[in-house]
Amino acid sequence: EEQSNACLTMSIEPALMNIPFQNSNGAGEVETLEEFLLEIGQYEGNDISQMSFEGWTFTDIDFDDPQVELQWHSFNWAGSVFYGCTFPCPDDEMRSRGARVVKQMDWLPFKVFRSFMYTQDELEALDAKIYKFYMTDNTLNAKLAQQIHDHFMQDSLFDYLEGKSVVSIMGGHQLKRTSPAYRDVALMAHRLAKGGFLVASGGGPGAMEACNLGAYMFEKSEEELDEAIALMAANQDPNVEFEYQDRQGPSAVIAKHGKPTFQPSLAIPTYKYGHEPTNMFGTWVCKFFSNAIREDGLLDISNAGIIYTPGSAGTRQEIFQAACGNHYAPDGKEKPTIFYDTEFWNKNSIPEVLRSVSQGRPFAKWIIESDDVQEIVQKLVQFRDENNLPILNPKRLQSKFWIRKEVLDKEEDNIETYICDAEQRTERRKARDKRANLRQSVQITDIADMQAPVVE
């Protein structure tokens, strides 16, 4: 294993490093109450009423937290925007003070205004309900809600990607867990993740599951990865018709190694193929309603290259969609296109077609065919180092990526100023419950409060 990862040790001078997705999570974009407390903590010692929140955006935050005491009426909210937030005062009061308030659409089985991508636990609880909604509710309001959801899902994705080198692995959903190719794909992902890449897939079964499994196991040895693949095969549910329907095999691996919490394993599925459950090995699941946004987004974020394993029409669409971007990319902005299983791809003449249209373009040198796992990894490391892309430190994966680094670096001591004692929390909870009951009784004409037809 040491030998297989020897090529991954090259470092880059920080001053020369190309920071992907830089400034995605900029100043004034706040997604948690903790982040807000850290931001205002920098203003400590000054008149808080003079702190302007004009142009700030707050998403899906409960400001009515009984554990926190804020000088709410001292803040100058003019020009601020709140999506899906809850306040310790009526919404109309916030509007009267110059804030733009857009509420969650509570009739939906999902949040349209999101701060984060889905976790496995959240998706497990909601996935079937959301898919049923997607398949049965074709009203204008439902379609609008899907578009808004996908916008905030994409924003949360870019926040997460800042400073990361991303390799995506594409391939078909029919790849069997017992096949040698499944093991190769998992091994590629494992070595890439261990070597400082974030590894992404389309989030489904087959090659996509193998990709996320390998990255999920990045802290384990390759022998343990092999054991995990064998464990899935040994525990597969004998009553399912298709392997992608099986959850017992993956559950056995999760039971042994724990749920994904910070591993560099990203899944980007779509409700268009919602009949195929999202695989269980992505730390974050960026699930879109629109497959067009999902497809284009998955290719676009792959700043360190794409590996294509055998697949059908969907995989081939991705090949040529990415090839168009590579063909017109300026020198230095092209991305590696790597074909794994050369016999399969040459039978379809796809590498030959790409080479014929890429002659004389910078893209041409990064069309690669290989069946050697380590050669593929080495080529991607070479590309990363030539383009000064960052090597992902595992500790960074456990950091609060949604909080600006310059704010987080000032420590979290400022938060203690706003934490209430037990007695204060009890009183604030009672007041909050009373406000919540009042909110339910108020009729508001905002589009976010329009009732959609009930879907049985």
Side-chain angles (χ1 to χ4, degrees):
E1 188 173 340
E2 282 184 14
Q3 185 177 4
S4 68
N5 288 291
C7 65
L8 305 174
T9 58
M10 182 174 178
S11 61
I12 302 169
E13 288 293 328
L16 301 176
M17 191 176 293
N18 176 10
I19 306 299
F21 309 98
Q22 194 164 17
N23 298 321
S24 172
N25 189 22
E29 182 183 338
V30 182
E31 282 103 358
T32 65
L33 182 57
E34 176 191 21
E35 183 180 4
F36 176 66
L37 297 180
L38 286 169
E39 291 280 4
I40 64 174
Q42 296 188 103
Y43 209 75
E44 197 68 34
N46 297 290
D47 183 357
I48 202 74
S49 66
Q50 299 303 309
M51 183 178 180
S52 173
F53 291 102
E54 184 174 3
W56 286 50
T57 301
F58 303 88
T59 305
D60 192 24
I61 302 174
D62 181 7
F63 289 103
D64 200 12
D65 189 323
Q67 296 187 74
V68 176
E69 181 65 53
L70 290 169
Q71 296 176 320
W72 193 254
H73 297 285
S74 299
F75 294 122
N76 177 8
W77 296 118
S80 56
V81 182
F82 294 86
Y83 294 108
C85 296
T86 306
F87 311 109
C89 67
D91 294 347
D92 284 345
E93 181 180 322
M94 293 296 294
R95 293 183 177 109
S96 70
R97 296 170 63 188
R100 171 71 174 164
V101 178
V102 187
K103 294 173 63 64
Q104 290 285 7
M105 303 182 187
D106 294 334
W107 50 271
L108 296 167
F110 57 91
K111 289 181 177 180
V112 287
F113 305 116
R114 300 188 58 88
S115 296
F116 300 98
M117 295 174 282
Y118 292 103
T119 62
Q120 290 286 349
D121 283 345
E122 185 184 12
L123 203 60
E124 185 178 351
L126 296 174
D127 211 24
K129 294 177 183 177
I130 299 175
Y131 182 53
K132 183 178 180 180
F133 159 84
Y134 172 76
M135 293 297 293
T136 57
D137 193 337
N138 293 308
T139 61
L140 177 62
N141 281 341
K143 296 298 183 184
L144 175 62
Q146 292 175 29
Q147 298 263 341
I148 298 171
H149 166 279
D150 284 1
H151 169 82
F152 281 87
M153 186 63 61
Q154 192 170 48
D155 180 69
S156 62
L157 169 65
F158 288 147
D159 288 351
Y160 175 65
L161 292 177
E162 185 169 1
K164 296 179 175 69
S165 299
V166 185
V167 171
S168 293
I169 301 180
M170 311 296 193
H173 65 277
Q174 295 182 340
L175 187 64
K176 300 294 183 185
R177 294 167 182 159
T178 52
S179 68
Y182 186 99
R183 195 258 181 184
D184 276 358
V185 174
L187 188 58
M188 275 181 233
H190 183 264
R191 291 183 181 176
L192 288 166
K194 196 177 273 293
F197 290 92
L198 172 66
V199 188
S201 86
M208 294 170 279
E209 179 188 74
C211 166
N212 288 127
L213 171 66
Y216 158 79
M217 294 286 291
F218 87 115
E219 289 189 306
K220 310 297 182 182
S221 67
E222 292 182 3
E223 290 74 20
E224 288 173 298
L225 175 61
D226 287 338
E227 290 169 5
I229 296 172
L231 187 62
M232 280 202 292
N235 285 275
Q236 182 166 319
D237 186 348
N239 299 313
V240 298
E241 183 179 359
F242 302 105
E243 188 175 87
Y244 70 75
Q245 296 171 319
D246 170 56
R247 308 295 272 180
Q248 288 185 189
S251 293
V253 175
I254 297 294
K256 181 173 182 179
H257 296 289
K259 293 183 178 181
T261 53
F262 68 91
Q263 294 87 344
S265 177
L266 175 64
I268 307 183
T270 173
Y271 281 106
K272 182 175 177 62
Y273 305 124
H275 61 285
E276 295 180 349
T278 302
N279 75 65
M280 299 172 68
F281 300 112
T283 297
W284 291 103
V285 182
C286 186
K287 194 159 189 176
F288 290 103
F289 287 104
S290 168
N291 188 48
I293 293 175
R294 173 249 191 175
E295 291 276 12
D296 187 64
L298 185 55
L299 299 172
D300 186 52
I301 69 168
S302 307
N303 57 351
I306 303 174
I307 302 168
Y308 295 101
T309 69
S312 189
T315 306
R316 296 171 204 209
Q317 174 191 324
E318 291 159 353
I319 291 170
F320 288 103
Q321 191 171 340
C324 181
N326 265 331
H327 183 80
Y328 292 109
D331 194 4
K333 297 296 183 181
E334 65 281 354
K335 308 168 187 177
T337 295
I338 299 181
F339 293 99
Y340 164 79
D341 193 338
T342 53
E343 181 181 357
F344 174 87
W345 289 116
N346 281 306
K347 191 186 302 181
N348 293 280
S349 303
I350 289 178
E352 180 184 349
V353 171
L354 288 193
R355 286 197 175 90
S356 69
V357 299
S358 66
Q359 291 180 9
R361 312 289 296 191
F363 170 42
K365 71 174 181 178
W366 288 110
I367 300 173
I368 298 163
E369 299 172 65
S370 178
D371 295 331
D372 186 303
V373 169
Q374 190 55 24
E375 181 185 19
I376 291 171
V377 173
Q378 287 173 330
K379 289 289 186 183
L380 292 169
V381 170
Q382 176 190 345
F383 176 83
R384 179 185 65 189
D385 292 344
E386 285 183 5
N387 288 274
N388 295 328
L389 291 169
I391 299 171
L392 183 56
N393 186 321
K395 289 183 179 178
R396 178 172 168 77
L397 291 166
Q398 301 179 58
S399 69
K400 296 170 181 175
F401 60 84
W402 57 92
I403 300 178
R404 293 188 298 130
K405 186 176 184 300
E406 54 268 36
V407 175
L408 197 58
D409 285 349
K410 292 184 181 295
E411 304 297 336
E412 301 181 13
D413 297 339
N414 293 325
I415 293 179
E416 297 300 322
T417 307
Y418 306 99
I419 303 300
C420 303
D421 60 30
E423 185 176 345
Q424 288 175 310
R425 284 199 296 271
T426 301
E427 291 303 314
R428 287 179 58 77
R429 255 189 214 103
K430 290 178 182 177
R432 170 192 166 135
D433 292 343
K434 184 177 180 180
R435 287 191 293 270
N437 291 332
L438 283 172
R439 278 195 291 268
Q440 290 176 4
S441 66
V442 174
Q443 190 73 25
I444 300 176
T445 58
D446 193 303
I447 188 173
D449 297 299
M450 293 172 64
Q451 294 298 312
V454 175
V455 179
E456 296 296 336

